């Protein structure tokens, strides 16, 4: 079927100065950790499947005879060489690797539990030796959609609702699209990236959210945003630079700006902070158990905690001066706040004590220093109340006959206890998950949720490039479209390289007559009438030989229905 283009709108700003497109990440490489997520390096591992397992030694592209279903395959490494045991019998030895395991059924890693049962993964498993040659990495190589199926229900409860789960799906897809944390894998399976438990995490509601956002990204300046998210906002989220920046505004994340619930405003001083965090009924995240919280420490208890945690954080160079514990912290006088963000999040504080003062300049380090019941503080959005009752220190070292290091004989008094009063859970930048749930329950659709938390974004497919190809390689974009959510969809084409023609197809509709717009640089075409509820496809044929040194870039942008 040949259809003539009906509507062309010209843009003056689209793609100005930009001719690059990002390859949409279809496959994700996930580093699999051990049982307690303490390392991604393994000495041995056992695998099984309900179907045959094929093993390829990629150094030789040699395929080992398929292993029968339900057999136990144990892989061990010795001086960078792999040995394979089948049901405890050595079958293959001194393989160079990397090894690639695949099956028509799920691959199970025995002796590794996720969600309380043996871990199972779709896709393939790659085993690649570490640089030291005595351990190896386990990498799950999996398509994006199945990767998200193993992530979304771990990162957000199903009870939060379909639209919140859709927002979470887009955020998680964006996160994976930008991730590359090592030479071996893009992400890992823990909170160091996104929590990924493989097949054991699959849930129908999350699957629906992932399916109904297939191919959809949040973009800023034609690039997928780093879509940070966290559990609970106290009522105000924060700028990326204020929380993670180095003090010099970098403008690398202009879409991660402070967002306010209701009629909130920046907290400018300690009085504002105390007033704000004393209120318990004002915010989208009010249903979170961490919307507001309190933790109280006796002075002695907190001194003991600080003695351990300050040493730990000093090893990470996050305490100034370093605390080695040789002179034990005693006589805790004050927790002095040195810097806050506009949400009241503490990014620097000073611990003032009889035996020394210590500055901490990192919000995560601060959370780790003030542990309660061996758990981090939920956030650094807090203020500290000290007890009005004070007491003199007892010089225990003098009474016990030990060398007297400090003179505690003065009349100086010290607080009996410290109460931390605060709100929120997590780093506070980007999308609040409890807030997303609240917006969804108000009837907001996922684009509205994303736009609430990420500034100046567009909901779009990934920009793709169309070029000449000797192998006749085409370009295809697949995405899910919901007419009840989106009022219009536009195909945006950048042809600033003056390609003479670029035929394409939208589902069953073929557009061959493109010469009339080929010399117009940048165009925006309303394609809403050619789309259907559900899965859609846009297909561009490769450019002709006469255009072999040129390319075009295209994407689909969605405009949400106006209420």
């Amino acid at each position: 079927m040949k259809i003539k283009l009906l509507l062309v709108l010209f843009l003056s700003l689209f793609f100005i100065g930009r001719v690059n497109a990002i390859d949409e990440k279809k496959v994700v490489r996930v580093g699999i950790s051990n049982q307690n997520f303490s390392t991604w390096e393994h000495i041995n591992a056992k695998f099984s499947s309900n179907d045959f397992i094929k093993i390829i030694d990629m150094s030789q592209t040699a395929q080992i005879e398929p292993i029968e279903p339900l057999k136990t395959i144990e892989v061990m490494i010795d001086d960078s060489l792999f040995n394979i045991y089948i049901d405890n019998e050595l079958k293959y030895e001194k393989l160079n690797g990397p090894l690639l395991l695949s099956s028509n059924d799920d691959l199970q890693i025995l002796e590794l539990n996720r969600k309380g049962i043996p871990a199972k993964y779709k896709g393939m498993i790659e085993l690649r030796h570490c640089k030291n040659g005595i351990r190896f990495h386990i990498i799950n190589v999996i398509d994006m959609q199945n990767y998200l199926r193993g992530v979304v229900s771990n990162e957000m409860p199903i009870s939060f609702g379909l639209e919140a789960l859709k927002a979470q799906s887009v955020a998680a897809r964006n996160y994976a699209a930008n991730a590359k944390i090592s030479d071996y894998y893009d992400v890992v399976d823990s909170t160091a990236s996104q929590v990924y438990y493989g097949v054991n995490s699959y849930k129908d509601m999350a699957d629906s959210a992932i399916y109904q956002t297939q191919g959809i990204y949040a973009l800023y300046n034609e690039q997928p945003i780093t879509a940070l998210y966290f559990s609970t906002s106290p009522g105000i989220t924060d700028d990326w630079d204020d929380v993670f920046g180095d003090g010099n505004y970098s403008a690398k994340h202009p879409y991660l700006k402070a967002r306010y619930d209701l009629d909130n405003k920046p907290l400018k001083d300690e009085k504002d902070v105390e007033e704000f965090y004393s209120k318990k009924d004002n915010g989208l995240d009010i249903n979170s158990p961490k919307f507001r919280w309190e933790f109280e420490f006796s002075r002695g208890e907190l001194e003991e905690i600080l003695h351990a945690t300050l040493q730990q954080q000093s090893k990470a160079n996050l305490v100034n001066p370093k605390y080695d514990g040789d002179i034990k912290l005693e006589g805790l006088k004050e927790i002095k706040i040195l810097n806050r963000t506009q949400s009241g999040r503490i990014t620097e504080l000073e611990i003032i004590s009889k035996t020394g003062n210590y500055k901490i300049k990192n919000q995560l380090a601060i959370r780790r220093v003030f542990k309660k019941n061996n758990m981090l503080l939920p956030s650094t959005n807090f203020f500290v109340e000290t007890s009005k009752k004070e007491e003199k220190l007892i010089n225990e070292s003098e009474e016990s006959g030990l060398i007297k290091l400090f003179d505690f004989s003065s009349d100086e008094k010290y607080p009996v206890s410290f109460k931390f009063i605060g709100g929120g859970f997590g780093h506070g930048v980007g999308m609040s998950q409890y807030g997303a749930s609240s917006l969804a329950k108000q009837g907001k659709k996922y684009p509205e949720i994303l736009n609430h938390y990420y500034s100046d974004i567009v909901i779009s497919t990934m920009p793709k490039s169309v070029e000449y190809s000797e192998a006749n390689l085409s370009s295809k974009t697949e995405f899910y479209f919901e007419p009840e959510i989106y009022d219009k969809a536009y195909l945006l084409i950048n042809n600033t390289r003056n390609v003479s023609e670029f035929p394409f197809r939208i589902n069953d509709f073929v557009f061959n007559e493109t010469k009339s717009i080929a010399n117009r640089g940048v165009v925006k075409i309303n394609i809403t009438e050619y789309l259907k509820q559900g899965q859609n496809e846009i297909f561009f044929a490769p450019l002709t030989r006469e255009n072999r040194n040129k390319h075009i870039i295209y994407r689909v942008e969605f405009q949400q229905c106006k209420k």
Side-chain angles (χ1 to χ4, degrees), residues 121-184:
Y121 300 94
K122 292 194 180 297
M124 297 181 289
I125 296 289
E126 181 181 313
L127 307 180
R128 184 176 290 270
H129 68 73
C130 303
K131 293 179 180 178
N132 59 24
I134 60 175
R135 296 175 184 269
F136 60 89
H137 298 285
I138 300 176
I139 304 164
N140 185 201
V141 184
I142 189 166
D143 65 279
M144 177 68 83
Q145 289 294 91
N146 276 316
Y147 167 70
L148 294 176
R149 294 177 71 196
V151 167
V152 171
S153 65
N154 293 318
E155 292 288 357
M156 177 177 282
I158 299 302
S159 61
F160 279 21
L162 182 60
E163 293 302 316
L165 288 164
K166 288 180 185 178
Q168 179 66 63
S169 298
V170 175
R173 184 180 293 112
N174 266 71
Y175 187 97
N178 283 312
K180 182 65 177 176
I181 66 172
S182 86
D183 293 336
Y184 301 119

Side-chain angles (χ1 to χ4, degrees), residues 27-306:
V27 174
V28 184
R29 296 173 60 83
V30 189
I32 304 299
S33 60
N34 63 353
Q35 185 59 48
N36 61 5
F37 302 99
S38 62
T39 182
W40 293 274
E41 297 183 359
H42 306 263
I43 298 174
N44 71 304
K46 295 179 180 180
F47 305 90
S48 187
S49 177
N50 292 330
D51 205 334
F52 285 90
I53 293 180
K54 298 177 182 178
I55 304 178
I56 296 175
D57 181 354
M58 292 192 288
S59 67
Q60 303 174 10
T61 64
Q63 181 171 315
I64 296 169
E65 183 177 345
I67 311 301
E68 294 179 356
L70 302 179
K71 293 284 187 180
T72 297
I73 302 169
E74 183 172 14
V75 179
M76 304 183 74
I77 192 167
D78 182 19
D79 195 19
S80 298
L81 298 175
F82 291 97
N83 297 321
I84 299 177
Y85 296 78
I86 310 298
D87 286 346
N88 297 317
E89 182 180 352
L90 179 61
K91 288 290 188 180
Y92 306 95
E93 59 181 327
K94 297 183 178 180
L95 301 177
N96 290 314
L99 303 181
L100 193 65
L101 285 65
S102 63
S103 176
N104 290 327
D105 206 327
D106 301 334
L107 287 164
Q108 181 174 314
I109 302 181
L110 305 174
E111 300 177 355
L112 177 67
N113 288 343
R114 294 292 186 257
K115 297 282 189 179
I117 56 178
K120 294 181 180 180
Y121 300 94
K122 292 194 180 297
M124 297 181 289
I125 296 289
E126 181 181 313
L127 307 180
R128 184 176 290 270
H129 68 73
C130 303
K131 293 179 180 178
N132 59 24
I134 60 175
R135 296 175 184 269
F136 60 89
H137 298 285
I138 300 176
I139 304 164
N140 185 201
V141 184
I142 189 166
D143 65 279
M144 177 68 83
Q145 289 294 91
N146 276 316
Y147 167 70
L148 294 176
R149 294 177 71 196
V151 167
V152 171
S153 65
N154 293 318
E155 292 288 357
M156 177 177 282
I158 299 302
S159 61
F160 279 21
L162 182 60
E163 293 302 316
L165 288 164
K166 288 180 185 178
Q168 179 66 63
S169 298
V170 175
R173 184 180 293 112
N174 266 71
Y175 187 97
N178 283 312
K180 182 65 177 176
I181 66 172
S182 86
D183 293 336
Y184 301 119
Y185 34 77
D186 303 315
V187 293
V188 293
D189 60 352
S190 72
T191 54
S193 294
Q194 300 185 118
V195 178
Y196 170 75
Y197 288 168
V199 174
N200 295 350
S201 300
Y202 293 0
K203 293 185 181 297
D204 290 344
M205 179 76 82
D207 287 352
S208 295
I210 296 160
Y211 176 73
Q212 292 176 30
T213 59
Q214 181 181 0
I216 305 297
Y217 294 82
L219 304 185
Y220 182 92
N221 279 353
E222 316 304 327
Q223 307 294 305
I225 69 169
T226 301
L228 297 187
Y229 54 88
F230 62 100
S231 169
T232 304
S233 167
I236 308 173
T237 70
D238 273 308
D239 287 7
W240 184 91
D241 281 277
D242 288 343
V243 177
F244 299 114
D246 58 6
N248 298 315
Y249 181 66
S250 63
K252 289 182 179 178
H253 303 83
Y255 44 82
L256 292 175
K257 291 293 186 185
R259 309 295 270 182
Y260 301 90
D261 294 352
L262 309 177
D263 296 323
N264 297 336
K265 58 184 179 180
L267 307 180
K268 297 180 180 180
D269 53 37
E270 290 301 308
K271 181 180 179 182
D272 286 345
V273 170
E274 292 183 18
E275 181 180 353
F276 185 80
Y277 286 102
S278 296
K279 293 179 179 178
K280 300 181 180 181
D281 58 353
N282 187 25
L284 291 173
D285 298 59
I286 192 170
N287 291 323
S288 168
K290 293 293 192 295
F291 179 64
R292 292 289 182 269
W293 44 262
E294 293 183 7
F295 294 98
E296 187 166 7
F297 304 83
S298 68
R299 190 192 69 252
E301 175 192 11
L302 189 51
E303 288 172 354
E304 287 294 326
I305 291 169
L306 291 173

